[in-house]
Amino acid sequence: MKLLVIGSGGREHALAWRLAKTPGLQKVFVAPGNAGTARESGLQNVPLSSPEELADFAQRENIRLTVVGPEAPLATGIVNLFLARGLKIFGPTREAAQLESSKDFAKRFMLRHNIPTARFASFTERAAAHAYVDQQGAPIVVKADGLAAGKGVVVATNLAEAHAAIDRMLPPGAQGTALDGSLARVVIEEFLDGEEASFIVMVDGRNALPLASSQDHKRIGDGDTGPNTGGMGAYSPAPVVTPEVHARAMREIILPTVRGMAADGIPYTGFLYAGLMVGKDGSVKTVEFNCRLGDPETQPIMMRLHSDLLNLLEHAVAGRLNLVEASWDRRVALGVVLAAANYPAAPRTGDPISGLPGSSDDSHVFHAGTSEQDGRIVTAGGRVLCVTTLAENVRQAQKRAYDLITRIHFDGMQYRRDIGHRATSR
């Protein structure tokens, strides 16, 4: 029995690592993978990236199931291609992935199906966007419409920041293109006050199975300062997701989304990530949808998962998620991202990495932006590693993770020293 995980980041390393624990499994291929997956027992990297090459490989190797990690292949229709060839794959189709690939699509979908979210307006013209911001005032949120690798959001605390974000996201004359090649567009939203959490579920087209809650840290600096990144660390569970908040998220956001996509003729199958804003009164609103697992949320979530992940995935692709439940380690998992020099603006690559610790039952270093050069592991992306630990509580998990980090070195290494601060300050 062989499986295929598509992607090269920390999320994919964690997925493949967990899948490799499946009893009776022969191998997990990771395409293209990284230096961590290359050295992980039970995993094998394959240097493939195009959808056609990946589908050919899955057929040739008789892959039992393929799991898609990142958003870009989903947005370009890799699931459509695999399904057309009769190959089993877990992820949304290109049409369903618009929940992430177009913020305008997602906001209009939520409005149509009465799913709670921030008020918004969409623009392709600079002048109209600037006028709207002046009318609404600050704070206000400006988002690039297409895929932006987690960095296309500006929470503007003043009008100058909002106008600068519009100028950056909308080229002069509005004749440019977004990062994913589509017509440039910005979505401008009201600022939501509260605490954010990551609420991720598995969906089979009709049923939704919630995974463990988690909380990401998007900004580069301690105390949630500096520019947004793809995520500088995460922990699970998130205390802000109380049983009441969990129930509201399922009732008001997740299940209406699953039903709404089916009603619109675009049934959703795959991981669905709802970024929640939890108000002080326990209300929930949708900040955004992602059509895949979060990164770095996946790393702590996979550390806590006790269930056989392949069994959950196979129930999902068969439309039988209502027949299974996921079981979780009661302990806290926490992951700290080690980022490259100059991240997030212009990450430097090629710096040798030393001092990587071995794995244990309660710690694992998941690789993201790494590669091998002349037998050495070097930096190859913005977010390089995610040091992930399990412990009885957040403070113990923090201590364990930061103790491990003291052994690791690469030039320009940067990381936050307060991952999990919201949980310890409650």
Side-chain angles (χ1 to χ4, degrees):
M1 179 170 58
K2 293 177 283 189
L3 307 175
L4 173 62
V5 173
I6 295 173
S8 62
R11 166 184 48 226
E12 291 77 39
H13 187 175
L15 273 171
W17 168 80
R18 176 52 64 186
L19 285 169
K21 299 180 181 297
T22 303
L25 187 68
Q26 182 180 347
K27 189 174 293 185
V28 180
F29 293 103
V30 189
N34 56 45
T37 53
R39 298 188 177 197
E40 190 82 61
S41 175
L43 309 187
Q44 180 179 326
N45 288 353
V46 287
L48 303 173
S49 57
S50 81
E52 292 76 13
E53 288 177 325
L54 290 163
D56 290 343
F57 178 83
Q59 287 183 314
R60 185 169 63 250
E61 291 290 334
N62 194 28
I63 297 296
R64 178 160 174 163
L65 177 66
T66 297
V67 183
V68 186
E71 60 273 24
L74 297 170
T76 55
I78 192 169
V79 171
N80 304 61
L81 174 63
F82 270 60
L83 293 178
R85 293 203 191 181
L87 298 167
K88 289 174 70 174
I89 186 168
F90 187 63
T93 61
R94 177 178 56 248
E95 295 77 17
Q98 289 180 94
L99 278 177
E100 177 171 7
S101 65
S102 172
K103 292 178 177 63
D104 180 67
F105 174 92
K107 297 294 287 189
R108 295 183 187 281
F109 169 84
M110 286 186 273
L111 185 64
R112 192 163 61 249
H113 292 283
N114 299 311
I115 296 166
T117 190
R119 295 191 309 274
F120 77 102
S122 297
F123 302 92
T124 57
E125 296 183 359
R126 267 187 175 190
H130 285 307
Y132 182 79
V133 163
D134 285 334
Q135 179 188 52
Q136 296 296 314
I140 198 163
V141 181
V142 183
K143 298 181 177 181
D145 180 49
L147 298 180
K151 297 185 282 292
V153 177
V154 172
V155 181
T157 58
N158 55 60
L159 291 178
E161 290 178 354
H163 288 307
I166 291 167
D167 287 340
R168 187 166 62 254
M169 295 177 190
L170 282 180
Q175 297 304 311
T177 57
L179 296 183
D180 65 351
S182 62
L183 179 68
R185 182 190 304 270
V186 293
V187 175
I188 303 177
E189 299 180 359
E190 71 169 313
F191 173 79
L192 296 178
D193 194 21
E195 187 172 350
E196 286 194 53
S198 303
F199 198 89
I200 306 172
V201 300
M202 299 174 69
V203 183
D204 67 7
R206 294 175 299 172
N207 307 292
L209 175 69
L211 302 183
S213 67
S214 57
Q215 194 166 56
D216 188 11
H217 299 63
K218 283 290 185 190
R219 293 187 180 269
I220 188 72
D222 291 353
D224 300 317
T225 58
N228 270 350
T229 71
M232 293 300 294
Y235 62 99
S236 173
V240 70
V241 183
T242 63
E244 293 76 20
V245 168
H246 188 285
R248 292 191 76 162
M250 289 296 293
R251 182 177 67 250
E252 298 177 13
I253 295 174
I254 299 298
L255 294 178
T257 298
V258 175
R259 290 193 293 264
M261 292 294 282
D264 288 353
I266 318 172
Y268 191 99
T269 297
F271 293 109
L272 178 65
Y273 170 126
L276 304 182
M277 185 64 76
V278 183
K280 292 181 180 178
D281 60 354
S283 61
V284 292
K285 289 189 176 181
T286 315
V287 176
E288 64 178 354
F289 283 123
N290 292 328
C291 292
R292 32 74 187 183
L293 286 165
D295 187 344
E297 295 98 328
T298 303
Q299 291 88 312
I301 288 173
M302 289 297 113
M303 285 286 285
R304 292 188 60 219
L305 181 63
H306 275 171
S307 300
D308 181 331
L309 179 57
L310 178 59
N311 181 52
L312 299 180
L313 290 167
E314 292 200 311
H315 274 79
V317 296
R320 299 198 306 266
L321 276 177
N322 56 314
L323 302 180
V324 289
E325 293 184 1
S327 61
W328 304 95
D329 195 307
R330 61 175 177 78
R331 294 175 292 173
V332 170
L334 181 142
V336 181
V337 168
L338 308 185
N342 304 324
Y343 179 76
R348 191 173 72 207
T349 61
D351 289 312
I353 304 169
S354 61
L356 287 168
S359 297
S360 68
D361 289 341
D362 53 21
S363 69
H364 202 92
V365 178
F366 295 105
H367 289 230
T370 64
S371 63
E372 288 199 42
Q373 288 182 7
D374 302 322
R376 297 187 305 175
I377 298 179
V378 302
T379 62
R383 293 182 296 169
V384 179
L385 304 167
C386 185
V387 179
T388 311
T389 59
L390 275 169
E392 290 297 322
N393 55 53
V394 172
R395 291 192 186 278
Q396 291 179 16
Q398 285 174 325
K399 184 178 188 309
R400 188 165 288 162
Y402 287 110
D403 283 348
L404 289 174
I405 288 170
T406 62
R407 309 180 197 176
I408 303 170
H409 174 78
F410 55 87
D411 287 346
M413 185 174 86
Q414 55 176 326
Y415 59 94
R416 283 183 57 162
R417 289 161 175 79
D418 66 345
I419 300 302
H421 71 91
R422 296 188 194 97
T424 58
S425 64
R426 296 181 73 85

